[in-house]
Amino acid sequence: MTNLKLRLMTNIRLMTASIEIPSVVQEKEAEVFEKIRNASGTSTSTSDAGAHFFDKAESQRETSTSTIEADTLNSEKNNSGKIRKFHVRRNISIGIAAAFAFFCILMISNPVLAEDVPVIGHIFAQVGEKMGFAGDYSDYAKPLSDEKSSEVSTSNTDTTDSKYSKTVDGNTITLSEVYCNDNALYVSMEIKSKDKFPDTLKWPVTGKQYIFLDGRDSTISFSFYGNPVHLYNAEVDGEFLDENTYIGVFRFPFKVLKDDPDANPEHHDVAVPKDSEITASLHISEIYSYLPVEEQKNESGVKSIINDSKNWWVEGPWDFEISAQVDSSKTIEKTVGNAEDYGVITLKKSPFEITADYQFTKPDDYAFAMLDQNGKLLLRGGIFGADLESYPIADYDTSEVTVYVFDYDKFFDDLKGKGLTGEDMRTLYDQNALWKETVDLSSK
């Protein structure tokens, strides 16, 4: 083994000596050890197994370095048997330690990049901070334990389905983790297509690509509310890992249960059971995405869109039963206003969002807005605006918020979109509001 490799291994071992190894890495340690032991049938294969992680890293070095290393290895092979055995024993121990140390660094920096570690179980860690409802979900999301349930044969492939992984015509959706609070259900998933994903539209505001769950026939129902609710253009908020793999998070806001005209035409309140286990039945009829919008200019330089309605889709169906624990421990709920004047507004703040349920006395006459403690306007979540009453809070100081009620026309004609911040925004809203109130959301 070259001095270069030896120094590299030593440095990695020193760097990782004080690192507390996560449990998932400890589990993989045994697998790495076993693979190296299984590869030790001959002295050459044993040495190569220990140095495998470094061979890839050094493959791009300059030719002169590779030539020197090759000469050194040839020299080692020509040594006597005793010296050669000594090198093998030394290389086995150093190789095992180096392989494990390298694996630790890789796992700590990004768990899903490790070759032998599946994406499933780590999707929230991969995309959580990049989502519209962003945040660190690691302390909240729970892995969905999957047990083999049945063997099925589809038209194009034979595969084994399980409770949280379904394959239809070679296209697989696998549910990974779940998190649920009073405001919403979050389910992470991996979508693997048998064919290469097309180049899909990057949305102008977010700059991201999305896969959507079909809203015409895809539905969700709950153990506490059995009427199926249609998923109107529900996005899976995530990213493409490669040409055939997309990972992301499907978020279902519980406010939709009240507002869905088909499932709840009378708009009755739906109580989500607090700190209780619930079951969700998810039916995905198809997945789809929009193709990039193409523009062309005429002779006058005027732009026109030539394919604003084309999309790509894959048909299912994929059906899942999901168990989740509603975590109300971090939810702060406050109600302001009065029914005689403008109405009542109930705010529910959970770790990643605030949901505002406003019951106006004249719904068509009033508009609602909310500033954080620094005078920053909170923006609604969801790229289609389907979740009009939920506000992501990752980029805000929501320990205290001020809620405002405006005249509808005045707000949308004169106030919305001014682009002000801080005290300028607060002054503008204070001067034009019909009613306002500051709410402490720092504790229950």
Side-chain angles (χ1 to χ4, degrees), residues 52-251:
H52 172 69
F53 292 94
F54 303 97
D55 291 339
K56 289 185 178 180
E58 293 184 13
S59 62
Q60 302 299 322
R61 291 188 178 276
E62 296 179 1
T63 305
S64 58
T65 304
S66 300
T67 303
I68 294 172
E69 181 174 329
D71 292 342
T72 304
L73 290 174
N74 289 335
S75 175
E76 288 183 359
K77 289 181 180 180
N78 293 330
N79 287 334
S80 65
K82 288 184 179 181
I83 297 177
R84 190 168 171 226
K85 287 181 180 179
F86 170 78
H87 280 300
V88 168
R89 287 194 296 269
R90 183 189 65 181
N91 289 349
I92 290 175
S93 60
I94 294 177
I96 291 174
F100 177 59
F102 183 84
F103 186 85
C104 292
I105 292 175
L106 195 60
M107 285 290 295
I108 291 168
S109 62
N110 193 335
V112 299
L113 294 180
E115 181 179 352
D116 292 333
V117 179
V119 173
I120 301 304
H122 302 285
I123 293 178
F124 271 115
Q126 175 80 349
V127 304
E129 298 290 353
K130 310 170 190 174
M131 292 166 47
F133 289 84
D136 182 3
Y137 288 79
S138 59
D139 291 336
Y140 303 95
K142 305 296 182 184
L144 289 168
S145 178
D146 203 351
E147 297 178 358
K148 301 295 182 181
S149 57
S150 62
E151 291 189 0
V152 296
S153 178
T154 65
S155 57
N156 292 336
T157 184
D158 291 334
T159 188
T160 300
D161 274 11
S162 55
K163 185 175 181 181
Y164 296 118
S165 185
K166 310 288 183 181
T167 300
V168 178
D169 292 333
N171 302 299
T172 303
I173 296 180
T174 302
L175 307 188
S176 175
E177 305 136 285
V178 63
Y179 167 63
C180 187
N181 58 44
D182 305 65
N183 285 329
L185 172 74
Y186 293 79
V187 181
S188 65
M189 62 179 65
E190 176 193 69
I191 301 172
K192 294 189 76 71
S193 172
K194 67 177 179 180
D195 299 319
K196 176 182 175 181
F197 285 113
D199 181 22
T200 57
L201 173 67
K202 289 186 178 179
W203 291 82
V205 175
T206 64
K208 295 172 59 176
Q209 298 168 294
Y210 298 89
I211 285 181
F212 301 90
L213 309 183
D214 172 56
R216 295 169 297 174
D217 299 309
S218 296
T219 61
I220 191 169
S221 60
F222 295 90
S223 52
F224 62 92
Y225 188 78
N227 295 337
V229 178
H230 292 280
L231 303 177
Y232 295 108
N233 301 311
E235 69 261 25
V236 181
D237 192 351
E239 62 188 15
F240 289 96
L241 288 187
D242 55 49
E243 295 179 344
N244 300 85
T245 308
Y246 183 89
I247 60 172
V249 176
F250 158 66
R251 177 182 180 273

Side-chain angles (χ1 to χ4, degrees), residues 403-407 415 428-436:
V403 296
Y404 293 86
V405 175
F406 299 95
D407 174 82
L415 304 178
L428 178 68
Y429 276 19
D430 287 348
Q431 292 174 347
N432 291 275
L434 297 174
W435 172 87
K436 71 169 186 175

Side-chain angles (χ1 to χ4, degrees), residues 48 65 148 152 163 182 196 198 214 220 279 287 293 317-318 335 344 351 366-367 387 417 422:
D48 288 344
T65 304
K148 301 295 182 181
V152 296
K163 185 175 181 181
D182 305 65
K196 176 182 175 181
D214 172 56
I220 191 169
T279 301
I287 57 174
V293 173
W318 301 268
T335 299
V344 175
Y366 302 134
D387 188 10

Side-chain angles (χ1 to χ4, degrees), residues 382-403:
I383 65 171
F384 280 116
D387 188 10
L388 292 178
E389 297 171 5
S390 291
Y391 301 78
I393 62 175
D395 297 325
Y396 301 90
D397 180 355
T398 57
S399 58
E400 182 180 278
V401 300
T402 303
V403 296

Side-chain angles (χ1 to χ4, degrees), residues 310-331:
K310 292 183 180 180
N311 60 12
W312 157 92
W313 69 92
V314 172
E315 295 182 350
W318 301 268
D319 291 284
F320 302 95
E321 293 288 329
I322 308 163
S323 296
Q325 183 77 18
V326 180
D327 182 4
S328 303
S329 62
K330 301 290 191 301
T331 301

